[in-house]
């Protein structure tokens, strides 16, 4: 149980770092370059996935060091693409609804999307990325 709590805390630190990368890039692309938030959110999410993979494999999960790294990254990428789909659906639905009530609703919606995707990411990476205990 102690290992799981430590892992969740490390995942949280990595997640917050990647959130700030994701959020910062999204806001910069939208505010400075005029890129629509749904597109800038997809770009920023993709950049944060690469950073997240490196940190997750080296610091958070007890990944199999002997595993095929290409296969491991492909699994991570597939899980992340599903997470991106969840992120994009929340961004699209949330901004479509909230834009009528507030300006820059994408900033608030992104926080909700990140929280949902973070839970999804931890559970799926724990199942598919972490090395299985020896029997």
């Amino acid at each position: 149980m102690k290992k799981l709590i430590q892992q969740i805390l490390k995942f949280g630190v990595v997640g917050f770092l990647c959130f700030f990368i994701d959020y910062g890039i999204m806001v910069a692309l939208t505010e400075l370059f005029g890129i629509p938030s749904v597109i800038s959110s997809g770009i920023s999410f993709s950049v944060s996935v690469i950073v997240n993979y490196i940190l997750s494999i080296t610091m958070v999960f007890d990944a199999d060091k002997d595993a095929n790294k290409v296969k491991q990254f492909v699994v991570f990428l597939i899980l992340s693409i599903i997470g991106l789909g969840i992120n994009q659906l929340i961004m699209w639905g949330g901004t479509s609804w909230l834009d009528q009530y507030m300006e820059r609703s994408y900033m608030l919606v992104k926080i909700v999307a990140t929280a949902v995707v973070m839970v999804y990411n931890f559970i799926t990476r724990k199942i598919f990325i972490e090395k299985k205990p020896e029997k």
Side-chain angles (χ1 to χ4, degrees):
M1 186 62 146
K2 182 179 177 182
K3 180 185 174 192
L4 178 62
I5 291 170
Q6 288 175 336
Q7 196 174 43
I8 290 170
L9 291 174
K10 288 179 186 177
F11 182 81
V13 169
V14 168
F16 277 111
L17 173 65
C18 290
F19 168 76
F20 287 116
I21 291 169
D22 186 357
Y23 195 80
I25 291 172
M26 178 195 68
V27 171
L29 291 174
T30 301
E31 297 296 320
L32 299 176
F33 299 102
I35 296 173
S37 62
V38 172
I39 294 170
S40 66
S41 177
I43 293 167
S44 65
F45 186 90
S46 299
V47 172
S48 74
V49 163
I50 294 167
V51 174
N52 201 310
Y53 172 74
I54 293 166
L55 295 176
S56 290
I57 296 303
T58 59
M59 296 176 56
V60 178
F61 295 103
D62 186 19
D64 188 352
K65 306 295 184 220
D66 299 324
N68 180 324
K69 299 299 181 208
V70 172
K71 181 180 175 186
Q72 190 178 60
F73 183 73
V74 167
V75 169
F76 192 93
L77 189 60
I78 290 168
L79 295 174
S80 296
I81 290 169
I82 294 168
L84 175 60
I86 295 167
N87 176 78
Q88 295 300 86
L89 283 172
I90 293 170
M91 287 298 296
W92 174 75
T95 57
S96 295
W97 176 63
L98 274 181
D99 275 351
Q100 62 188 326
Y101 302 109
M102 63 187 286
E103 289 184 29
R104 295 188 174 101
S105 68
Y106 75 94
M107 293 178 180
L108 177 62
V109 175
K110 182 62 172 182
I111 294 169
V112 173
T114 299
V116 171
V117 173
M118 195 173 196
V119 171
Y120 160 81
N121 281 339
F122 184 80
I123 293 168
T124 59
R125 290 173 187 168
K126 182 92 174 138
I127 293 168
F128 294 104
I129 299 297
E130 192 159 72
K131 179 174 65 175
K132 308 296 183 253
E134 304 272 334
K135 291 183 181 179

